[in-house]
Amino acid sequence: MKFTLKRDNISLEKISVSGQIFRMKREDEGFRVHFRKDSVLVEEDEEKLTFHCSEEEFFKIWYDFFDFETDYSKIAALIDKDDKYLLTAYESGYGIRILRQDLWEIIISFLISQNNNIKRITNSISKLCNLTKDGSFPTPEILAEISIDELRLFGLGYRDVYVKKMAERVRNKELDLNILEKLPYEEAFKSLKSEFGIGNKVADCICLFGLHKLNAFPIDTHIKQILKTHYPEGLPENYRGFEGVIQQYMFYYELNGTR
DNA sequence: CAACAGGCGGGAC
DNA sequence: GTCCCGCCTGTT
């Protein structure tokens, strides 16, 4: 079963290397993505996307996952005509969207991402998924049961204690993800930051990619440099509310350029 | 060999 | 509050 739709401001190719998702792999026919227990293969060509699933499944799961509800062209229209840097970054990153991924998977993924490189992050997460029979991302219960020594084998380095503690916290409902999902940005950010292993950057990544708070603006080493060079006075006011989307265009442009 | 990779915790001040 | 250091580990 397949479901086809016209491409409009979406690029799986770019999303796959935008740094927000760590297990979106290119297969022979297209890209495979995962959401909780489900997975789908998506073909991408110049004018359309072909989902290898029923229309019913597309609208039940993947429509939200790819955030088709949000009009990214409308957000891009906010870009200042004199902001040459961002106009170029948007042109470069045109088609990137903020996926609505599973919160738990995002929390662990970005805990692992700190002071780390994408290759190693991807490798660690891939190994973690081997813990489950179906290859889906391991639940808090599963991760909480793994010993530190065993976790170390996944190449997490010193981040293994962060992962272990977080799994226990969530399993014990000391951090309730259902509540976290209902909080406004400021409160979610504060709650996340109080967790062991989560600082400003990781908290904002989780808010942006796990809670879809488009006003979260994760500042990593690259973004810090960009701000210093192009926005010494800070981001313009008119981007307020969509800083996270802006960040993605900048980040992509910085790492992938105009290729 | 050192430096770095999408930072963070902990201690000094 | 800010500054600084050490940290797992694979790659360059």
Side-chain angles (χ1 to χ4, degrees):
Chain A
M1 283 240 248
K2 291 182 184 178
F3 177 73
T4 300
L5 77 163
K6 194 173 163 291
R7 268 184 69 193
D8 181 20
N9 204 336
I10 179 166
S11 164
L12 301 190
E13 172 68 45
K14 292 180 189 176
I15 290 171
S16 73
V17 293
S18 68
Q20 63 178 296
I21 183 164
F22 295 107
R23 52 186 193 127
M24 178 171 180
K25 285 198 303 283
R26 182 191 278 289
E27 295 182 2
D28 292 342
E29 290 180 275
F31 290 94
R32 180 163 295 280
V33 293
H34 307 265
F35 181 70
R36 299 185 182 163
K37 289 286 183 185
D38 292 296
S39 141
V40 71
L41 182 66
V42 192
E43 287 178 57
E44 174 171 82
D45 64 28
E46 284 298 310
E47 69 271 10
K48 64 186 188 302
L49 294 177
T50 304
F51 285 75
H52 288 222
C53 69
S54 67
E55 179 173 355
E56 187 190 357
E57 181 181 317
F58 171 79
F59 283 108
K60 193 177 149 204
I61 303 170
W62 308 113
Y63 179 84
D64 288 330
F65 182 84
F66 284 100
D67 198 26
F68 281 114
E69 191 67 26
T70 304
D71 186 345
Y72 284 81
S73 299
K74 209 182 215 173
I75 296 174
L78 296 173
I79 299 176
D80 194 317
K81 305 291 168 289
D82 298 325
D83 192 344
K84 300 298 180 199
Y85 174 76
L86 192 51
L87 286 171
T88 309
Y90 174 63
E91 195 180 343
S92 163
Y94 176 77
I96 293 177
R97 314 173 73 82
I98 310 293
L99 303 178
R100 292 179 185 263
Q101 301 184 71
D102 177 66
L103 175 58
W104 168 244
E105 179 171 343
I106 289 292
I107 289 175
I108 296 302
S109 299
F110 282 91
L111 263 181
I112 295 172
S113 79
Q114 59 184 82
N115 195 23
N116 207 341
N117 60 67
I118 297 199
K119 193 173 182 180
R120 219 181 122 201
I121 299 164
T122 306
N123 193 250
S124 291
I125 291 171
S126 162
K127 285 179 182 166
L128 285 180
C129 291
N130 288 335
L131 288 168
T132 63
K133 285 177 191 157
D134 59 2
S136 61
F137 196 83
T139 59
E141 288 76 17
I142 292 174
L143 286 185
E145 288 304 313
I146 306 285
S147 70
I148 289 289
D149 289 342
E150 213 174 330
L151 272 181
R152 188 135 293 191
L153 299 176
F154 298 128
L156 305 183
Y158 63 87
R159 306 158 197 82
D160 53 9
V161 285
Y162 300 161
V163 170
K164 173 86 171 165
K165 281 197 181 187
M166 182 61 71
E168 289 169 350
R169 293 270 298 160
V170 173
R171 178 196 60 184
N172 301 343
K173 292 273 197 276
E174 290 157 331
L175 175 63
D176 190 326
L177 300 190
N178 291 318
I179 293 176
L180 191 60
E181 280 182 323
K182 293 185 180 67
L183 297 180
Y185 167 67
E186 290 77 10
E187 290 177 43
F189 179 83
K190 208 164 29 165
S191 166
L192 285 164
K193 256 205 78 166
S194 71
E195 295 295 326
F196 188 62
I198 298 184
N200 291 325
K201 196 276 182 177
V202 173
D204 266 334
C205 280
I206 295 171
C207 284
L208 180 57
F209 304 129
L211 295 169
H212 210 261
K213 304 296 185 191
L214 300 187
N215 54 332
F217 188 72
I219 300 178
D220 55 54
T221 51
H222 301 284
I223 298 294
K224 194 178 284 180
Q225 273 310 312
I226 293 168
L227 287 178
K228 210 162 107 184
T229 311
H230 301 280
Y231 305 95
E233 312 294 318
L235 270 192
E237 290 284 317
N238 45 326
Y239 302 156
R240 186 157 292 175
F242 303 100
E243 295 92 332
V245 179
I246 305 291
Q247 188 265 10
Q248 278 300 93
Y249 295 137
M250 291 177 175
F251 189 77
Y252 178 87
Y253 179 49
E254 205 61 24
L255 267 64
N256 301 288
T258 48
R259 61 172 183 178

